[in-house]
Amino acid sequence: MDITLINFMNEQLDLVDLGFKRYMYDKLPWESRLVGLTGPRGVGKSTIIMQHIKEMAAEDRKKTLYVSADHSYFTIHTLTELASQFVREGGEWLYIDEVHKYNGWSKELKQIYDSHPALHTFFTGSLVLDIIEGEADLSRRSLLFNMQGLSFREYLELFHGIITPVRSLEDVLSGNIQIDGVQHPIPLFGHYLREGYFPFAKEGYVLQRLQQVIRLTMEVDIPQYANMSPATGKKLRRMLTIIAGNVPYKPEATALANEIKVSRNDISTFLLYMEKAGMIGQLRDETGGMRGLGKVEKVFLDNTNFIYALANDNANIGNIRETFFYNQTRLTQDVTSSKVSDFSIGKFTFEVGGAKKSHRQVKDVENSFIVRDDIEYASGDIIPLWGFGLMY
């Protein structure tokens, strides 16, 4: 095997710490033949692979190879060539990072899967790669998982060494959210909202890193994935900025199309690409739910860190509250818009606000809750907003 690839893998492994693992680590089927992990830039996909390799038994590690699809090795070699040579030399576990940066990735992964039945292949991508409508149909072969940024619970562990268990929705609604060693969670929560969603925040220069994620995703990743021109990529970034200034944004396709000078018919497609890329979240009505085809009622930025990165000191507190609630609950719950309030999750209705938020709007609604960002602990049907950040 090429010594530059071996050295690259070993150098990356040396940099990885095993002290903290993302919520997906124990959920991934590491033993399966073909597994994909997708998600926005910077959420820790590469790290999770490295941690798994580092924890392998010594004998298995000898049969393992980690590569990045943008490595210079692939300027003159293909993935299929690499896999064939690796298998001939006794390799069993192949990890391919940033696979979306390799042209024809889906076709070659299919070939690798079909040609080497004893090889286990794991790949990551910055976008929610379309394994069904790509060049090769991987849907019958690959298991695909998506990972989002840190929950408030994960942030507490990674940034402050505070460990607290995952809570269910029922736990949160019943007020079972106490965190050992933390009497006043609101200051920590405020820091999380500004710069705690991405693990890279520990390295400093958070604003610059956030803006870089936004620029590269909007101007490079999406255009490359959707075969768009660079000019269209810049229009997408402009579109995101417009949404950021009006969120929660009520979809107005004609006005938005006129603003960025594209066809009205392109707007829904652009929004879907942005949602897949982890730039926005689209709240749908109950006709289809988050996982269905319901009508889009509101468009949020994906997470509160993006709000501060794009809006700076003009960030709207109401938008921040709703964005956090939707971002943290959507992973484990089917969250939809509510006809009488802000959100619905199954039989429950939620009105999200601050100190002045009252029961007036939901006073006659069964199973309704007031969610406030200024309280430390629950009191009856009034729940602290930060508690919903403990659900993964």
Side-chain angles (χ1 to χ4, degrees):
M1 188 52 56
D2 191 296
I3 190 62
T4 61
L5 295 180
I6 301 297
N7 289 339
F8 175 75
M9 178 178 71
N10 290 333
E11 289 169 359
Q12 298 303 306
L13 287 173
D14 287 342
L15 298 173
V16 172
D17 178 48
L18 298 175
F20 168 80
K21 297 185 179 71
R22 292 297 322 276
Y23 73 95
M24 283 297 298
Y25 188 87
D26 292 325
K27 297 181 179 182
L28 292 169
W30 296 105
E31 300 296 319
S32 296
R33 281 192 57 202
L34 184 60
V35 180
L37 178 63
T38 64
R41 285 175 175 264
V43 296
K45 301 183 299 297
S46 302
T47 299
I48 211 171
I49 288 180
M50 291 308 209
Q51 289 175 326
H52 177 68
I53 296 173
K54 202 163 185 175
E55 290 198 321
M56 280 182 165
E59 285 303 309
D60 287 334
R61 178 98 67 90
K62 294 177 182 178
K63 304 172 185 177
T64 299
L65 179 65
Y66 164 87
V67 298
S68 180
D70 61 353
H71 193 281
S72 59
Y73 173 88
F74 294 108
T75 57
I76 56 175
H77 299 282
T78 65
L79 283 173
T80 52
E81 288 175 359
L82 173 72
S84 295
Q85 181 182 355
F86 183 52
V87 169
R88 285 196 302 271
E89 296 180 9
E92 296 182 5
W93 308 91
L94 178 60
Y95 298 85
I96 306 168
D97 206 4
E98 306 269 34
V99 75
H100 63 283
K101 295 182 179 179
Y102 183 95
N103 289 331
W105 61 270
S106 60
K107 192 176 294 184
E108 294 203 31
L109 284 181
K110 176 181 179 295
Q111 186 174 339
I112 290 170
Y113 180 94
D114 293 341
S115 301
H116 306 292
L119 180 65
H120 299 262
T121 305
F122 194 107
F123 62 93
T124 74
S126 288
L127 289 171
V128 180
L129 301 172
D130 196 336
I131 63 173
I132 296 177
E133 298 179 2
E135 296 179 29
D137 184 1
L138 293 175
S139 60
R140 292 180 293 107
R141 297 169 173 83
S142 176
L143 296 172
L144 191 66
F145 298 84
N146 186 56
M147 184 166 74
Q148 68 176 35
L150 298 171
S151 65
F152 179 50
R153 186 195 69 83
E154 289 183 301
Y155 157 83
L156 290 173
E157 181 176 349
L158 178 60
F159 284 71
H160 302 283
I162 300 168
I163 299 176
T164 192
V166 172
R167 305 315 207 283
S168 66
L169 178 62
E170 290 71 23
D171 286 333
V172 176
L173 299 185
S174 66
N176 179 22
I177 55 174
Q178 291 78 12
I179 302 173
D180 290 343
V182 178
Q183 288 186 318
H184 305 293
I186 291 179
L188 294 169
F189 182 51
H191 185 267
Y192 168 84
L193 294 175
R194 281 188 171 273
E195 51 183 59
Y197 188 69
F198 292 93
F200 58 63
K202 283 188 65 102
E203 301 169 20
Y205 302 98
V206 181
L207 180 59
Q208 293 92 322
R209 293 177 188 275
L210 287 170
Q211 291 173 340
Q212 184 179 43
V213 166
I214 293 168
R215 180 181 63 81
L216 291 174
T217 302
M218 302 303 293
E219 297 187 14
V220 178
D221 290 347
I222 295 178
Q224 179 183 10
Y225 168 73
N227 197 27
M228 297 174 176
S229 68
T232 303
K234 292 186 181 299
K235 289 182 178 181
L236 286 179
R237 190 177 178 192
R238 168 66 178 153
M239 184 173 168
L240 187 70
T241 302
I242 293 171
I243 292 173
N246 295 275
V247 285
Y249 179 77
K250 301 281 188 180
E252 292 287 346
T254 300
L256 193 53
N258 291 338
E259 184 72 25
I260 65 172
K261 296 179 173 54
V262 298
S263 168
R264 181 185 186 279
N265 296 330
D266 289 333
I267 295 299
S268 61
T269 301
F270 288 173
L271 288 173
L272 182 59
Y273 286 149
M274 292 161 68
E275 184 177 38
K276 282 187 170 186
M279 291 291 104
I280 63 171
Q282 298 191 87
L283 180 67
R284 295 168 172 85
D285 65 21
E286 70 278 3
T287 59
M290 181 185 71
R291 300 172 179 85
L293 299 174
K295 177 185 174 184
V296 175
E297 294 291 339
K298 292 181 181 180
V299 179
F300 299 93
L301 291 188
D302 178 75
N303 60 82
T304 60
N305 290 187
F306 282 169
I307 297 176
Y308 284 107
L310 291 171
N312 298 316
D313 294 333
N314 296 319
N316 179 274
I317 186 60
N319 172 40
I320 290 168
R321 294 172 183 134
E322 291 188 30
T323 298
F324 171 80
F325 182 92
Y326 182 47
N327 172 276
Q328 298 284 283
T329 56
R330 70 186 181 190
L331 187 68
T332 60
Q333 307 295 321
D334 192 359
V335 188
T336 64
S337 62
S338 170
K339 293 179 180 178
V340 297
S341 189
D342 293 319
F343 300 96
S344 291
I345 299 178
K347 65 180 181 180
F348 302 114
T349 299
F350 299 91
E351 180 73 9
V352 181
K356 296 181 179 179
K357 180 60 63 176
S358 70
H359 289 79
R360 179 179 56 82
Q361 195 164 338
V362 293
K363 63 183 178 65
D364 297 322
V365 180
E366 291 187 16
N367 299 309
S368 62
F369 293 85
I370 302 298
V371 181
R372 285 172 43 180
D373 66 344
D374 66 320
I375 58 175
E376 295 184 326
Y377 299 103
S379 176
D381 60 357
I382 303 177
I383 311 294
L385 179 60
W386 62 264
F388 292 89
L390 307 179
M391 293 174 59
Y392 72 88

